[in-house]
Amino acid sequence: MVTNMRPPIFVRTLSEEEREALEAGLRFSEAFVLRRCQILLASARGQIAPQIAKNLGCGQQTVRHAIHDFDERGLDALKAISSRPREVHAAFDEEGACSSLRELLHHSPREFGRRSNLWTLEDAAEVSFEEGLTKGRVSGETIRATLSRLGVRWERAKRWIESPDPEYERKKGIEIG
């Protein structure tokens, strides 16, 4: 029987300075630093990732990530790296696609095969992709943020609802004029 198990990973040999810094980190109140120090010191004692994960109540991948990060960055691995992307690309370029999105929303969704005559953010996202305004499918939140950049507020549908009833405005208390 052949298994595809990889050999267990361990943190590299610690210098005296690194060991002291990790032991000092055990007294930190910041959870990220404390957990990293616990993981790295346990690995230096020869414990394997599944055992460390079980003892600390975290995932095995968390343990492996901490060990790899320490091997690459040393003590800097005790500082959390932001998960925020370094560069954000707009789904709609400022020139053509933004104005096309605005123009699209001035048409009825039914012209694009939708059931409702009211736009939802999700419908706007789907139609934007179908009409080639975006390269890929975007979220409704992307539509809202794009409209916000254009100075357009996404308003609740109830303000746009119309009725063929001649008494509609009076019944709803809407003043015209």
Side-chain angles (χ1 to χ4, degrees):
M1 180 165 98
V2 177
T3 61
N4 290 337
M5 290 184 57
R6 293 187 219 163
I9 65 165
F10 297 98
V11 71
R12 62 176 165 70
T13 304
L14 302 176
S15 70
E16 192 58 38
E17 176 189 337
E18 290 172 333
R19 183 174 300 280
E20 288 173 8
L22 293 175
E23 288 172 356
L26 294 175
R27 294 183 292 276
F28 266 58
S29 60
E30 188 179 335
F32 181 83
V33 176
L34 174 64
R35 175 63 50 95
R36 283 279 171 113
C37 291
Q38 290 171 327
I39 290 169
L40 297 170
L41 288 170
S43 179
R45 287 192 301 268
Q47 292 181 9
I48 59 174
Q51 185 181 11
I52 297 169
K54 183 178 177 187
N55 290 342
L56 296 178
C58 64
Q60 293 181 27
Q61 193 56 45
T62 300
V63 173
R64 290 184 188 94
H65 181 71
I67 293 169
H68 286 300
D69 196 23
F70 182 79
D71 286 346
E72 289 175 19
R73 299 191 308 136
L75 291 175
D76 284 340
L78 300 180
K79 298 174 191 159
I81 297 176
S82 173
S83 60
R84 181 177 175 199
R86 290 188 182 110
E87 190 175 335
V88 178
H89 301 284
F92 295 89
D93 66 8
E94 287 299 323
E95 297 297 319
C98 285
S99 58
S100 296
L101 173 64
R102 184 185 290 215
E103 180 63 30
L104 173 92
L105 296 176
H106 285 289
H107 294 277
S108 170
R110 290 188 177 166
E111 293 178 33
F112 301 96
R114 302 293 171 216
R115 293 171 131 176
S116 173
N117 65 341
L118 300 174
W119 281 109
T120 65
L121 290 171
E122 291 303 317
D123 281 343
E126 287 176 20
V127 172
S128 294
F129 176 62
E130 291 167 2
E131 294 295 308
L133 300 181
T134 60
K135 293 178 184 171
R137 174 69 169 79
V138 296
S139 68
E141 176 59 20
T142 299
I143 298 294
R144 190 208 55 76
T146 302
L147 292 172
S148 178
R149 278 198 330 266
L150 294 172
V152 176
R153 285 188 23 235
W154 188 263
E155 297 184 7
R156 291 174 45 184
K158 72 177 189 175
R159 295 187 183 177
W160 297 91
I161 295 175
E162 295 180 10
S163 171
D165 181 1
E167 296 294 312
Y168 178 74
E169 285 84 11
R170 184 185 62 77
K171 290 177 182 176
K172 289 295 184 179
I174 302 172
E175 293 181 27
I176 298 179

